[in-house]
Amino acid sequence: MSQDILALIKENVVQGRINKEDEGMDEGMEGTPAVMELVQQALTDGIDVQKIINEGLTSGMDIVGQKFEEKEYYIPDMLASAEAVGAAMEMLEPHLASSGVEPKGKILIATVKGDLHDIGKNIVSILLRGAGYLVKDLGNDIDDQTIVDAVKEEQPQFLGLSALLTSTMMHMKDIIKSLNDAGIRDNVKVIVGGAPVSEQFANDIGADGFGADGFQAVSIVQSLGS
Amino acid sequence: MGIIRKGLPGGSFKPLSEQDIEKIHNTVLQVIEEIGFQVNSEDARQYFKQTGASIDEANRIVRLPRKTVMDLISKAPSEFTLYGRDEKNDIHLGGSRVYTGTGGTALYIYNPGSKEKRLASLDDLKKIAKLVGGLDNIHLLLLPTYPSELPVNQIDVNRFYAGLNNTSKHIMGGVYTLEGIENVIKMAEMVAGGKEQLRKRPIISMIACCMSPLKLDEHYADMMIAIAKAGIPLVCPAEPLCGATSPITVAGNVLMQTVDSLMGVLLTQIVNPGTPVIFGSVATSTDLRDLKYLAGSVEMGLTNAGSAQMAQFYKLPFYATGGMTDSKALDSQSGYESAITNMLCALAGSNFIHDSAGLMEFAMTVCLEKYVIDNDILGMVMRAVEGIKVTDETLAFDLIKKVGPAGNFVTSKHTRRHMRSEHYEPTVSDRNLREDWDAEGGQVAWERATILVNQIIESSDYSLPEDTKKTILSQIPGIVV
Ligand code: B12
């Protein structure tokens, strides 16, 4: 029984279905229970939360990753699955502590002041959620102080900053400086990205990591986190 | 030298039928009336309010009835001229007449003759201006690079000065600050010979973007207002990306581009009715692997051709995007992507094809050699736009009769009379016999282009008159010489 429902969760992650109204990759799935309904069912059935995450969600995402590597899946497929996992994680969050599951970490993300490019940042957010992180997205065109205040308040393990303009990327440096001045630089790992940003630039401004795309964003967070 | 083809009527390629255009148009009006768009500038919302638009202040959403939309569009001029410093470079936008120009704003430039790129500087921009000045099939200079060494408050004046002081072609450019806009206009007035002269013969124009989907940003809307008030021609382009900021379908992308650029057009016509405004498209598709922006896809050509038809339907001058490549080298990909997208835009009758030369790798990098190669692509494209002229003279019955069976046309006057105007003479293409090609070093296209780049830049001696330069440098702050 528990095996069945975990297998179904996994399959629906691969199909990228959040709710039962969703269509999947395959035909005729509309109306059948999807990740949200199945995870709710699993909780009601008393299935171990860690098991739901590992055998349902994460193992589903592993298959999605493989399909993406093999060019069978495109990014919108990948994002659909990541969103399903993100939604499930939100649902599971209140149960994590009582089940003794270590949360993976909280990430605050924003596009800096003066910059309206947010497509890349949104993709990064979805993929990070899909990888099981709790992501708080502040939006775009966010001024330095708001970001620093949010770090104080939310106490995330990571701060992700996105900039696509040479005229706005220096805000990243200023934000890191403000974190330093506020004495909270060591509490948070800062990762940066966006078209004009490079590994070199990230080093120069004293960031902890750089991601050239959404997948690198996930892997850099994973490597810094452990 | 052959003739220069520009402003010829395109329009033979029509990916949309009349019913398609009608259907898109109706949906455009439905989106503006039912869904509305977000206007994040307080001033801009006030302007929309004056037209009786319904405004949802809490969500900053503006909705306009169909009639108001059409009334405002009809206030925008359907034809106007972007002037060059030299009259022969004037560009008469409107109808289905086709012109070309560069585009930007790229961050990097290739080191000449290599695959390596570096940050672009102000000096590079001056060189590009000289180069474009010498390339006949590129009709205006859209300031293509961002000088990386300058702080943002010096960007606008330096970019426009670099353009105005190095070519007599019309200068169009994106702008970054309100103060910059003011100073650039002042500078252009000095070059034009006064306030009125600049309004009469605008030698500059500006770009302020609309945000897809359905959003006018605060800063950009404020810039649109400032430019429209100043009576300077402007473009309000929108950049919907299939699957990212528009529906994934080409039709959905054309729809989104139309609505989004219209937001800017409408605003300018409320602020200053009759403002010369260009309906603009930077619409394109994305890489399905990672949703990144693509600059060389065939769908980009299709969307822009469709949007050209929408512009013609609304009788608005059109700024299209085509001619770029996502390749990192001057290889066959860079050639076919640039050619296909330029060709589709041009045959559809796009008034001004922006980005049509010099841009590579996702519009991030410019390449001097590519300007020269694209100049040839554009020459061929413009020849295709010109089409086939059929008259008694071109059919030449009398001549055929005279030459007769088994004769030849090599020595006929008719051949000499028409050969230069009838056939495009490329500047970079290799048409040598193998032995001659070998003897000249067996160079490939980009190597031949390098030679031309240097020749053209070195032979350029254009600059503003000394006294104009003096006035500008003494009155406009921040210009680096
Ligand atoms: C789409 C776009 C726009 C849209 C943005 C819509 C939106 N909602 O985001 C609009 C039309 C609004 C726009 C406006 C402008 N743009 Co623009 N735009 C682009 C374009 C074509 C694509 C950007 C994009 O979305 N890419 C797709 C996403 C998926 O990729 P990405 O953003 O790079 O994100 C990936 C990685 O970078 C990384 N990443 C991103 N963020 C983060 C964060 C972290 C923490 C990590 C780890 C990783 C990471 O992962 C992402 C996913 O894989 C680029 C060109 C380009 N090749 O990038 C120009 C570009 C960025 N724009 C440019 C310019 C000049 C402008 C304007 C100034 C134009 C003007 N003159 O008005 C305005 C500025 C507006 C503003 N104030 O921000 C220039 C920048 C040049 C410069 N000097 O800096 C570019 C490079 C184009 C060009 N060559 O001219 N633009």
Side-chain angles (χ1 to χ4, degrees), chain A residues 68 71 73-76 79 116 119 123 140 166-167 195-196, chain B residues 107-108 146 152 211 215 217 241 244-245 288-291 364:
Chain A
F68 186 78
K71 304 198 174 186
Y73 269 29
Y74 292 136
I75 193 106
L79 295 180
L116 303 166
I119 302 170
I123 291 177
N140 59 359
T166 28
S167 54
Chain B
L107 301 177
Y108 302 97
Y146 188 94
V152 65
M211 311 293 153
K215 184 171 119 180
D217 162 59
L241 311 178
T245 50
L288 298 175
R289 293 277 304 156
D290 53 12
L291 275 193
M364 293 293 288

Side-chain angles (χ1 to χ4, degrees), chain B residues 312-473:
Chain B
Q312 287 153 17
F313 173 80
Y314 291 114
K315 299 197 167 49
L316 293 170
F318 182 54
Y319 159 111
T321 302
M324 297 184 278
T325 178
D326 295 318
S327 178
K328 323 295 173 289
L330 290 171
D331 55 3
S332 53
Q333 181 188 345
S334 90
Y336 61 70
E337 289 184 341
S338 297
I340 287 177
T341 51
N342 266 329
M343 188 69 96
L344 293 180
C345 289
L347 291 181
S350 301
N351 300 133
F352 167 52
I353 310 172
H354 117 286
D355 285 348
S356 72
L359 280 162
M360 300 179 63
E361 47 173 330
F362 322 112
M364 293 293 288
T365 311
V366 294
C367 171
L368 296 179
E369 286 89 345
K370 190 160 194 305
Y371 285 102
V372 173
I373 293 173
D374 290 338
N375 179 63
D376 248 359
I377 292 179
L378 291 169
M380 295 168 86
V381 164
M382 289 307 297
R383 177 63 189 92
V385 168
E386 187 175 50
I388 305 174
K389 191 170 161 199
V390 182
T391 62
D392 288 342
E393 168 70 12
T394 61
L395 290 174
F397 174 81
D398 292 340
L399 175 63
I400 297 169
K401 191 171 166 190
K402 193 172 140 203
V403 168
N408 73 65
F409 298 85
V410 179
T411 55
S412 73
K413 287 266 182 312
H414 185 271
T415 299
R416 281 193 67 198
R417 190 153 67 238
H418 292 288
M419 64 185 186
R420 286 187 176 77
S421 57
E422 195 70 7
H423 297 270
Y424 176 70
E425 198 53 28
T427 52
V428 188
S429 302
D430 164 55
R431 292 174 168 180
N432 277 337
L433 288 175
R434 164 66 95 162
E435 305 83 79
D436 298 335
W437 182 70
D438 277 340
E440 284 174 20
Q443 290 172 329
V444 296
W446 70 262
E447 290 169 315
R448 295 190 294 276
T450 306
I451 299 172
L452 285 169
V453 165
N454 295 332
Q455 279 172 3
I456 296 169
I457 292 177
E458 270 159 35
S459 67
S460 156
D461 54 3
Y462 181 85
S463 83
L464 290 171
E466 283 309 316
D467 53 332
T468 312
K469 277 200 269 190
K470 239 186 231 149
T471 320
I472 292 176
L473 293 177

